[in-house]
């Protein structure tokens, strides 16, 4: 929207989305709101904090699964480096574990992408006033799912075990002994109720624990 038709004080928004078409569409639709201005667009998680420090947005609208740093990790960094910026997670993956991790990272809201842009605009305004905005269905699912049973180290070992990595590969990457890696994998498999580490990784991802 032309600047002369905007509100005197627009809400400055940073948009982080790796899919160019989705990012452009969101920027265009949000830009049509009289009181919202998209001041920065980034395609990778690693670019979020630098863009926030440069453009000083009021609200950062972040996808979770981004190249480089995840939106959840970026949210935690924004909390420390740009505490005045409110974070709103917008994702395709409405997984209960993601919601818990987003709240732990200091996010002010969590929405899935299939909602209308009008609701997104309303949510941006609400988080800026200090409210917490969470998709109701996802909130209910998170409560019923319970907390993540995996420890931080078990999560790290599961993440490192993808793409055909051997126990030796994981041990070298995480600076652990092979026996320690086996113990963490065994524990993670038991906690997820799966038969092997690949199933454990798949289940943990579906729950949003990784």
């Amino acid at each position: 929207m032309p600047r002369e038709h905007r509100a005197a004080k627009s809400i400055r928004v940073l948009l982080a989305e790796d899919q160019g078409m989705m990012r452009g569409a969101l920027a265009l639709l949000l830009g049509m709101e009289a009181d919202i201005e998209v001041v920065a667009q980034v395609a990778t998680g690693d670019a979020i904090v630098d863009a926030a420090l440069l453009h000083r947005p009021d609200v950062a609208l972040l996808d979770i699964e981004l190249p480089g740093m995840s939106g959840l990790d970026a949210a935690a960094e924004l909390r420390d480096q740009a505490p005045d910026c409110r974070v709103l997670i917008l994702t395709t993956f409405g997984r209960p574990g993601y919601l818990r991790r987003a709240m732990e990272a200091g996010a002010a809201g969590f929405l899935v992408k299939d909602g209308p842009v009008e609701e997104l605009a309303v949510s941006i305004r609400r988080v800026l006033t200090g409210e917490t905005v969470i998709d109701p269905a996802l909130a209910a699912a998170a409560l019923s799912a319970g907390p993540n049973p995996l420890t931080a180290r078990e999560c790290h070992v599961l993440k490192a075990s993808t793409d055909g990595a051997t126990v030796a590969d994981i041990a070298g990457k995480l600076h652990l002994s092979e026996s320690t890696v086996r113990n963490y994998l065994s524990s993670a498999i038991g906690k997820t109720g799966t038969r092997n580490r690949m199933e454990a990784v798949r289940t943990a991802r579906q729950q949003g624990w990784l």
Side-chain angles (χ1 to χ4, degrees), residues 96-180:
Y98 279 169
L99 173 57
R100 290 179 177 273
R101 289 167 60 194
M103 296 299 103
E104 290 169 359
F110 194 109
L111 300 173
V112 291
K113 289 180 180 177
D114 58 0
V117 72
E118 293 83 6
E119 289 186 10
L120 176 58
V122 169
S123 297
I124 289 172
R125 298 181 188 109
R126 288 176 62 190
V127 299
L128 195 58
T129 66
E131 291 187 56
T132 298
V133 181
I134 299 173
D135 179 88
L138 186 57
L143 287 173
S144 64
N148 180 1
L150 302 173
T151 66
R153 182 60 80 176
E154 287 164 354
C155 287
H156 292 157
V157 169
L158 282 182
K159 285 182 181 178
S161 70
T162 57
D163 300 325
T166 66
V167 169
D169 293 335
I170 300 168
K173 182 177 181 179
L174 299 181
H175 307 291
L176 299 170
S177 69
E178 292 186 24
S179 62
T180 298

Side-chain angles (χ1 to χ4, degrees), residues 9-142:
K9 177 68 169 69
S10 293
I11 300 170
R12 297 169 60 82
V13 172
L14 179 153
L15 179 58
E17 164 64 54
D18 63 326
Q19 296 182 24
M21 186 175 294
M22 172 69 76
R23 185 173 65 252
L26 277 173
L28 179 63
L29 291 169
L30 288 174
M32 295 174 68
E33 298 290 322
D35 59 340
I36 294 176
E37 181 180 5
V38 177
V39 296
Q41 300 180 47
V42 299
T44 67
D46 296 337
I48 290 172
V49 174
D50 286 344
L53 294 176
L54 177 63
H55 296 281
R56 295 295 175 181
D58 302 303
V59 177
L61 190 60
L62 310 181
D63 193 5
I64 290 179
E65 298 194 353
L66 295 166
M69 182 183 295
S70 75
L72 297 175
D73 290 335
E77 288 209 6
L78 285 175
R79 177 184 55 194
D80 296 333
Q81 298 193 44
D84 292 334
C85 178
R86 302 281 282 171
V87 172
L88 182 58
I89 299 294
L90 181 66
T91 182
T92 304
F93 305 101
R95 296 168 180 166
Y98 279 169
L99 173 57
R100 290 179 177 273
R101 289 167 60 194
M103 296 299 103
E104 290 169 359
F110 194 109
L111 300 173
V112 291
K113 289 180 180 177
D114 58 0
V117 72
E118 293 83 6
E119 289 186 10
L120 176 58
V122 169
S123 297
I124 289 172
R125 298 181 188 109
R126 288 176 62 190
V127 299
L128 195 58
T129 66
E131 291 187 56
T132 298
V133 181
I134 299 173
D135 179 88
L138 186 57

